[in-house]
């Protein structure tokens, strides 16, 4: 077998693996690229500011690439990069030098600041060239531009693309057009040169100590995009956090910027916002991801949760379709403008795909949690028919032969695994071999138990029938779970990852069991067992929680789901540990994420390698991870929430406070959380003493210690 790798400065190209029997391409890497985002538009390029015709670099809109090259040159040479910095949502600044121009001395005398601004449907740059030279400088500045209109799935699979020719459509203006998208680039005071590789050209003269500013912008017209920018301002508060650990404040600030940049709406309903899953592969509606991100942001207000619930309710399943996985009452997984098919792979997903086993119970619990945080009753009531439909879907799965909620791809070209660990090799036994479907995942049983009880609470509160039925279902599920999921392992008894097609426990120790904490499925004693296992070195001696124990046969620190660390997964477990009273374990995992955030310039990626801290010193990037990514950014809010331990039940008129005490976070002050629309401030001392102001009159407070 031969392996050919083609690379260019600043970006990797897909690797081609050549075999006498088959040829396929690998997903391009992006860990060393800079993303500038204001959804649904993203610029991905090198840290030097260049966007080269390589790999996944480009200017993307929705799920298509609008420009595949944006390369700046001066006198035919690329500037020498010295640094870059993010500049808020949609902004970045890149600094370079022109050392071959100006005075011949050690210090550079020509500097370029390339200030990039991405907006929904476009991008602009301001190129500032400043001279401290003692003589005038004359130069030719060019911007090389290419466009291939490549769909994101072609880019993701490393497929071949063909540049489209540009036309000169006006002074300083170039345009590219496909059957559905038009891209127009305009430069100020420049010459436009069309072609497959088009150019904008400026002739510049800088007097001694002079400065000049060049400007250009791109506009994308894409009327068939299914996602657009929301029609109104950001839905959530921006809390002000002061912490003894300054990493928490910096992580939250960057994360809130990233969350703002990932806001999306459907083209058909721009008034309802949701969070796109991640850049670049998943900048669209994803049921599970959008739900979890909205759930983590509930301490900042209920508006995002409400709109996410409505968006998904409008697309709730109404029929049985084996190709898409749709079923009555089911919440969808993924939305695209057309079929999503990876070149060289069997995967082929319809534009509206329902292949998820957990989005439906998570939708139910998001509605319940938003109600508890103070979502107005009329908004909850409007979604009760969808709640009943979702419970109906859940009930059919409860009544399946196994007695558990399970999945199996019925299309033969959909996702083989349909939980949050949805890679094809994610469900493995302790010895490393893969489980065969249908699969009943451990965390999904926890979600289903919680959804049944949450649904019962909502039905009862709003005078709808069926509450007793769903509590009985939950009780039955709990009994079955204890009888079938608990297995013996090297560290004692623990819940298995899943049950396979033969109803055998898949006996690997994984992070999935941490999602059971807080669902109510575990007893106090069982929660203590799970907490101890999650805090063991095999799971937690990296920068967060490993997806799989390092002692398992399938473990690999750079696998997608079998040993890597996911920020959102760790944050969910932190929240569960804190809520269950395991403050020390929650604090240790939180410190790991803060250390990872510092290493990644406070923009947590989708995932990173699960190496031990003692082995690597800093987290190793997963090279194809999304960044920014919604639920990774939301993890910062989850850490703040766990630190203050605010758990409201607005309909019942009470709030539970269970702050973390004695953790590496130290003292924490948070101003600007929201409960029932009111701004709430909380302060937690190092010893866990807590004070809260701003709660509405009539809400009682109960304070509980946290170990």
């Amino acid at each position: 077998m031969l392996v050919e790798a083609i690379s260019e400065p600043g970006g990797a190209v897909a690797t081609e693996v050549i075999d006498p029997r088959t040829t396929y391409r690998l997903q391009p890497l992006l860990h060393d690229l800079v993303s500038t985002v204001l959804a649904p538009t993203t610029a991905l390029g090198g840290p030097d500011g260049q966007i080269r015709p390589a790999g996944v670099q480009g200017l993307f809109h929705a799920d298509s690439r609008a420009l595949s090259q944006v390369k700046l040159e001066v006198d035919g040479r690329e500037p020498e990069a010295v640094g870059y910095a993010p500049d808020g949502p949609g902004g970045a600044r890149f600094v370079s030098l022109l050392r071959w121009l100006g005075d011949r001395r050690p210090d550079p005398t020509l500097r370029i600041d390339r200030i990039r601004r991405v907006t929904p449907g476009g991008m602009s740059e301001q190129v500032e060239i400043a001279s401290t030279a003692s003589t005038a400088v004359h130069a030719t500045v060019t911007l090389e531009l290419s466009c291939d209109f490549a769909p994101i799935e072609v880019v993701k699979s490393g497929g071949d693309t063909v540049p489209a020719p540009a036309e000169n459509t006006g002074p300083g203006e170039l345009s590219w057009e496909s059957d559905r998208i038009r891209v127009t680039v305009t430069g100020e005071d420049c010459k436009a040169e069309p072609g497959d590789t088009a150019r904008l050209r400026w002739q510049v003269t800088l007097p001694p100590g002079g400065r000049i500013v060049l400007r250009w912008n791109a506009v994308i017209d894409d009327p068939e995009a299914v996602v657009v920018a929301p029609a109104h301002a950001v839905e959530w508060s921006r809390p002000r956090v002061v912490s003894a650990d300054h990493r928490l404040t910096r992580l939250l600030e960057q994360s809130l910027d990233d969350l703002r940049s990932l806001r999306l709406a459907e083209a058909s309903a721009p008034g309802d916002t949701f969070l796109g899953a991640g850049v670049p592969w998943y900048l669209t509606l994803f049921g599970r991801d959008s739900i979890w991100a909205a759930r983590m942001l509930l301490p900042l207000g209920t508006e995002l949760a409400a709109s996410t619930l409505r968006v998904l309710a409008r697309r709730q399943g109404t029929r049985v379709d084996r190709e898409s996985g749709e079923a009555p009452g089911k919440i969808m997984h993924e939305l695209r403008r057309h079929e999503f098919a990876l070149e060289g792979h069997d995967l082929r997903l319809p534009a509206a795909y329902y292949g998820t086993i957990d989005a439906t119970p998570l939708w139910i619990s998001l509605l319940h949690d938003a109600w508890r945080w103070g979502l107005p009753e009329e908004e909850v009531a409007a979604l009760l028919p969808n709640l009943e439909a979702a419970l109906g879907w859940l009930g059919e799965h409860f009544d399946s032969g196994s007695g558990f909620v399970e999945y199996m791809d019925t299309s033969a070209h959909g996702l083989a695994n349909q939980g949050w660990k949805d890679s094809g090799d994610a469900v493995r036994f302790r010895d490393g071999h893969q489980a065969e479907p249908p699969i009943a995942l451990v965390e999904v049983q926890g979600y289903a138990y919680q959804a049944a009880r949450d649904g019962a609470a909502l039905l009862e509160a709003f005078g709808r029938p069926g509450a007793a039925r769903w509590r009985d279902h939950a009780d039955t599920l709990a009994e079955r779970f204890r009888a079938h999921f608990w297995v013996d392992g090297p560290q004692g008894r623990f819940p298995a990852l899943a049950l396979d097609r033969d109803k055998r426990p898949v006996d690997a120790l994984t992070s999935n069991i941490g999602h059971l904490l807080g669902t109510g499925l575990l007893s106090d004693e069982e929660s203590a067992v799970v907490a101890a296992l999650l805090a063991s070195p095999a799971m937690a001696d990296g920068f967060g929680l490993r997806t799989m124990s390092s002692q398992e046969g399938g473990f690999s620190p750079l696998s997608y789901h079998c040993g890597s660390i996911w920020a959102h997964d760790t944050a969910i477990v932190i929240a569960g540990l804190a809520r269950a009273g395991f403050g020390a374990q929650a604090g240790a995992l939180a410190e790991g994420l803060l250390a990872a955030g510092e290493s990644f310039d406070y923009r947590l990626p989708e995932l990173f390698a699960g190496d031990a801290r003692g082995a690597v010193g800093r987290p190793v990037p997963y090279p194809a991870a999304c960044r920014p990514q919604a639920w990774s950014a939301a993890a910062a809010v989850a850490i703040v929430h766990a630190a203050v331990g605010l758990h409201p039940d607005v309909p019942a008129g009470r709030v539970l406070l269970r702050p973390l005490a004695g953790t590496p976070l130290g003292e924490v002050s948070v101003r600007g959380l929201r409960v029932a629309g009111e701004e709430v401030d909380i302060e937690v001392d190092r010893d866990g003493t807590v004070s809260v102001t701003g709660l509405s009159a009539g809400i009682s407070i109960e304070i509980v210690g946290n170990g």
Side-chain angles (χ1 to χ4, degrees):
M1 181 177 293
L2 302 176
V3 179
E4 292 186 0
I6 307 169
S7 61
E8 295 186 15
V13 180
T15 302
E16 187 172 11
V17 180
I18 303 174
D19 184 276
R21 296 160 297 176
T22 183
T23 299
Y24 62 95
R25 290 181 176 269
L26 301 177
Q27 179 173 317
L29 308 184
L30 55 91
H31 63 283
D32 56 350
L33 299 183
V34 175
S35 57
T36 311
V37 190
L38 203 57
T41 307
T42 303
L44 271 169
D48 57 359
Q50 304 284 41
I51 297 176
R52 294 182 171 83
V56 69
Q57 297 192 48
L59 176 65
F60 293 83
H61 182 75
D63 47 12
S64 292
R65 183 157 58 190
L67 291 174
S68 54
Q69 178 177 217
V70 183
K71 188 170 69 171
L72 183 73
E73 292 186 345
V74 178
D75 290 340
R77 299 174 63 174
E78 293 189 37
E80 296 175 295
V82 293
Y84 76 93
D87 187 22
R93 178 186 288 260
F94 304 88
V95 180
S96 302
L97 305 177
L98 306 174
R99 291 192 298 162
W100 64 89
L101 295 176
D103 297 346
R104 298 293 184 264
R105 61 189 189 195
D107 289 341
T109 56
L110 268 295
R111 164 177 167 155
I112 292 183
D113 281 59
R114 190 172 180 179
I115 303 165
R116 177 170 297 163
R117 182 62 56 185
V118 170
T119 56
M123 183 176 89
S124 63
E125 286 189 341
Q126 183 172 299
V127 182
E128 300 179 355
I129 308 176
S131 172
T132 57
S134 58
T135 59
V137 173
H138 307 277
T140 300
V141 179
T142 57
L143 193 71
E144 292 191 4
L145 301 158
S146 301
C147 171
D148 61 5
F149 295 114
I152 191 66
E153 65 271 20
V154 172
V155 178
K156 192 175 194 296
S157 57
D160 294 323
T161 64
V162 178
E167 296 184 1
N168 189 178
T169 50
E173 183 176 282
L174 298 162
S175 68
W176 297 257
E177 191 164 1
S178 71
D179 57 353
R180 54 186 176 82
I181 300 174
R182 180 181 176 89
V183 180
T184 304
V185 171
T186 306
E188 293 184 5
D189 303 319
C190 67
K191 180 182 179 182
E193 302 173 356
D196 288 350
T197 299
R199 291 177 179 82
L200 298 180
R201 186 182 300 274
W202 291 266
Q203 301 293 337
V204 301
T205 298
L206 283 85
R211 174 178 173 273
I212 193 169
V213 179
L214 312 177
R215 295 181 175 86
W216 71 273
N217 71 86
V219 176
I220 306 161
D221 182 21
D222 184 6
E224 295 183 14
V226 296
V227 291
V228 296
H232 47 74
V234 175
E235 293 78 5
W236 54 84
S237 69
R238 191 176 182 105
R240 301 168 298 284
V241 175
V242 178
S243 172
D245 191 329
H246 300 297
R247 296 174 300 177
L248 179 59
T249 302
R250 296 189 64 182
L251 179 63
L252 181 67
E253 287 296 312
Q254 181 61 54
S255 297
L256 290 172
D257 281 350
D258 288 338
L259 289 163
R260 180 183 171 191
S261 74
L262 294 171
R263 295 171 67 245
L264 282 171
E266 286 189 281
S268 58
D272 276 335
T273 302
F274 59 88
L275 288 173
V279 172
W281 315 124
Y282 310 119
L283 195 56
T284 185
L285 175 64
F286 269 74
R288 176 193 310 118
D289 301 54
S290 300
I291 289 169
W292 265 122
R295 201 174 181 187
M296 291 182 186
L297 263 61
L298 279 171
L300 311 187
T302 60
E303 291 87 347
L304 176 67
S307 59
T308 301
L309 288 162
R310 288 192 293 266
V311 168
L312 291 167
R314 283 195 290 269
R315 291 187 173 271
Q316 190 172 27
T318 58
R319 62 193 178 98
V320 175
D321 184 344
R322 294 175 60 88
E323 284 294 300
S324 69
E326 183 179 353
K330 192 176 185 183
I331 298 299
M332 72 175 304
H333 175 59
E334 177 178 351
L335 179 67
R336 303 282 186 176
R337 82 168 77 205
H338 49 58
E339 181 182 77
F340 185 88
L342 294 179
E343 184 178 315
H345 299 265
D346 293 332
L347 186 70
R348 195 170 73 253
L349 307 181
Y353 181 56
Y354 289 77
T356 168
I357 195 63
D358 51 9
T360 307
L362 289 172
W363 185 95
I364 294 169
S365 289
L366 177 61
L367 178 61
H368 172 269
D369 290 358
W371 171 59
R372 294 277 294 266
W373 277 90
L375 181 64
E377 287 192 356
E378 61 272 17
E379 295 188 49
V380 178
L383 292 167
L384 291 179
N386 304 97
L387 167 69
E388 291 168 330
L391 286 168
W393 177 87
L394 202 59
E396 288 189 11
H397 281 75
F398 272 134
D399 295 335
S400 66
S402 70
F404 295 107
V405 183
E406 61 186 21
Y407 63 81
M408 181 174 183
D409 174 40
T410 56
S411 70
H413 52 75
L415 292 172
N417 285 315
Q418 298 185 0
W420 85 259
K421 294 181 179 178
D422 57 3
S423 55
D425 63 350
V427 184
R428 293 171 174 260
F429 287 84
R430 186 182 304 162
D431 63 7
H433 81 274
Q434 295 181 33
E436 295 294 332
I439 300 290
L441 289 170
V442 62
E443 78 275 16
V444 174
Q445 313 318 310
Y447 300 159
Y449 176 90
Q450 186 175 22
R453 294 192 63 85
D454 289 347
L458 285 164
L459 293 174
E460 188 172 70
F462 285 83
R464 311 281 277 230
R469 173 195 172 193
W470 293 110
R471 291 193 177 99
D472 288 344
H473 271 295
D475 291 342
T476 300
L477 176 60
E479 292 174 6
R480 289 172 175 161
F481 182 85
R482 287 190 174 89
H484 294 279
F485 266 84
W486 283 82
V487 296
D488 292 315
Q491 300 181 63
R493 286 185 62 77
F494 70 99
L497 165 60
L499 300 183
D500 72 353
R501 68 181 176 189
D502 299 317
K503 313 314 171 195
R504 294 177 301 170
V506 181
D507 56 351
L509 175 59
T510 64
S511 64
N512 300 58
I513 64 174
H515 292 225
L516 300 176
L517 296 166
T519 64
L521 184 57
L522 301 178
S523 68
D524 291 345
E525 294 78 10
E526 290 166 341
S527 293
V529 169
V530 169
L533 288 169
L534 295 174
S536 67
M539 291 295 295
D541 68 356
F543 294 86
L545 184 68
R546 289 192 180 100
T547 46
M548 177 178 283
S549 165
S550 60
Q551 297 177 354
E552 304 303 310
F555 171 77
S556 170
L558 267 175
S559 70
Y560 199 53
H561 288 131
C562 298
S564 58
I565 294 171
W566 288 63
H568 91 282
D569 183 37
T570 303
I572 290 169
V573 175
I574 289 169
L577 287 166
R579 185 69 184 271
F582 301 100
Q585 294 90 333
L589 288 178
E591 196 282 327
L593 278 190
L594 293 178
E598 183 178 33
S599 180
F600 288 113
D601 296 326
Y602 297 100
R603 174 179 273 180
L604 282 170
E606 178 185 17
L607 72 154
F608 46 90
D611 300 287
R613 287 206 203 191
V616 296
R618 62 184 298 166
V620 174
Y622 182 85
C626 289
R627 187 166 176 255
Q629 208 251 9
W631 59 16
S632 290
V637 181
I639 294 173
V640 171
H641 181 215
V644 299
L646 175 68
H647 303 287
D649 186 350
V650 172
R654 62 176 178 264
V655 164
L656 173 71
L657 289 173
R658 191 167 201 167
L660 296 181
T663 73
L665 301 181
E667 299 177 357
V668 178
S669 170
V670 184
R671 301 185 181 279
L673 301 180
R674 286 183 187 166
V675 176
E678 300 293 331
E679 188 168 300
V680 174
D681 303 336
I682 302 179
E683 294 186 5
V684 181
D685 293 339
R686 179 169 291 278
D687 63 0
T689 302
V690 60
S691 62
V692 57
T693 58
L695 289 171
S696 299
I699 293 183
S700 63
I701 299 174
E702 179 185 357
I703 301 176
V704 181
N706 203 325

